[in-house]
């Protein structure tokens, strides 16, 4: 603080000290408010390893977020996997994607991507066609109705994401993303 006091005036220094105190208080509150995974799942004995605790916590968190997303999308007649497939096809634009390409890009693996596409096609959200170059390849494209449905969900999904993860703040979110990237790389 000595150097800061020399550069800053007394008022600025008090403001800086006040901000530091606020950060410390918020950190204490967040650590006390957040339940540990051990207490949440009512596990009485400690985890065998820190890695086990981290993986259980990650799985529980992913499950909770997936459930919340499922509930939100249910009102629009979609499952998270259907929503994901529609987003992939929106990104493909007029080019469309073969089933195998959609499957590769899915967030959650779906062993029966054909049945998933069947359901979307019955609702008029996607269309399939055989390509002239190679009649064996069936390309799936999003329809205007599919684009309209996704467009109506863009705002609510953004709000949903912000509500769930926004309180972490940008620095912690960036750290979380980096940690998840590193962990996923280990799983490859």
């Amino acid at each position: 603080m000595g150097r800061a006091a020399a550069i800053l005036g007394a008022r600025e220094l008090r403001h800086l000290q006040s901000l530091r105190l606020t950060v410390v208080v918020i950190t204490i509150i967040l650590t006390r408010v957040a339940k540990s995974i051990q207490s949440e799942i009512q596990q009485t004995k400690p985890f065998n390893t820190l890695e086990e605790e981290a993986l259980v916590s990650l799985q529980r968190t992913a499950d909770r977020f997936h459930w919340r997303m499922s509930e939100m999308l249910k009102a629009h007649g979609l499952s998270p996997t259907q929503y994901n497939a529609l987003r992939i096809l929106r990104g493909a634009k007029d080019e469309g994607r073969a089933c195998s390409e959609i499957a590769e890009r899915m967030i959650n693996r779906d062993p029966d991507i054909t049945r998933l596409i069947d359901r979307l096609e019955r609702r008029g959200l996607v269309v399939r066609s055989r390509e002239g170059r190679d009649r064996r390849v069936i390309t799936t494209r999003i329809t205007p109705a599919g684009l309209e449905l996704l467009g109506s969900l863009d705002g609510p999904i953004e709000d949903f994401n912000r509500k769930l993860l926004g309180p972490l703040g940008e620095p912690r979110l960036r750290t979380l993303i980096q940690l998840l990237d590193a962990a996923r790389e280990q799983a490859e």
Side-chain angles (χ1 to χ4, degrees):
M1 279 294 191
R3 184 173 177 156
I7 296 172
L8 300 173
R11 183 173 172 204
E12 289 88 0
L13 187 58
R14 279 194 305 278
H15 182 68
L16 181 62
Q17 289 170 332
S18 173
L19 284 175
R20 276 191 175 164
L21 180 61
T22 302
V23 168
V24 168
V25 169
I26 289 172
T27 303
I28 290 169
I29 290 170
L30 286 175
T31 56
R32 289 190 179 159
V33 169
K35 272 174 51 173
S36 74
I37 186 64
Q38 189 171 347
S39 66
E40 187 175 320
I41 64 173
Q42 301 173 18
Q43 180 171 316
T44 55
K45 69 179 188 96
F47 287 97
N48 292 326
T49 64
L50 193 57
E51 292 83 2
E52 179 186 20
E53 182 176 0
L55 190 57
V56 169
S57 183
L58 181 61
Q59 289 172 325
R60 181 74 171 208
T61 304
D63 180 67
R64 177 84 33 91
F65 284 5
H66 189 266
W67 179 81
R68 296 274 310 269
M69 175 74 89
S70 295
E71 289 299 306
M72 201 255 306
L73 290 172
K74 193 185 293 183
H76 301 278
L78 289 177
S79 70
T81 53
Q82 291 171 330
Y83 173 73
N84 187 203
L86 287 174
R87 285 194 45 164
I88 290 165
L89 292 170
R90 177 170 64 179
K93 299 189 177 16
D94 293 335
E95 187 179 319
R97 294 278 179 253
C99 276
S100 60
E101 292 175 303
I102 296 169
E104 288 171 9
R105 296 165 190 248
M106 294 291 287
I107 293 170
N108 295 322
R109 294 185 190 274
D110 188 330
D112 198 352
I113 197 76
T114 303
R115 196 171 290 157
L116 174 77
I117 299 299
D118 287 345
R119 287 191 295 273
L120 292 172
E121 188 175 37
R122 277 194 298 274
R123 289 188 56 198
L125 302 174
V126 302
V127 292
R128 289 185 274 201
S129 62
R130 293 197 183 275
E131 297 304 304
R133 298 176 300 252
D134 185 348
R135 301 287 298 158
R136 295 172 298 174
V137 176
I138 299 173
T139 302
T140 305
R141 292 177 178 82
I142 192 166
T143 64
L147 288 170
E148 185 177 327
L149 177 59
L150 277 185
S152 73
L153 287 169
D154 287 340
I157 292 289
E158 190 174 310
D159 293 341
F160 173 84
N161 293 339
R162 191 171 285 117
K163 182 180 177 185
L164 284 179
L165 293 170
L168 292 177
E170 186 178 333
R172 290 170 75 189
L173 282 172
R174 290 193 186 286
T175 300
L176 176 62
I177 291 166
Q178 290 171 347
L179 291 170
L180 291 172
D181 286 347
R184 210 169 38 259
E185 188 176 310
Q186 293 302 310
E188 290 298 318

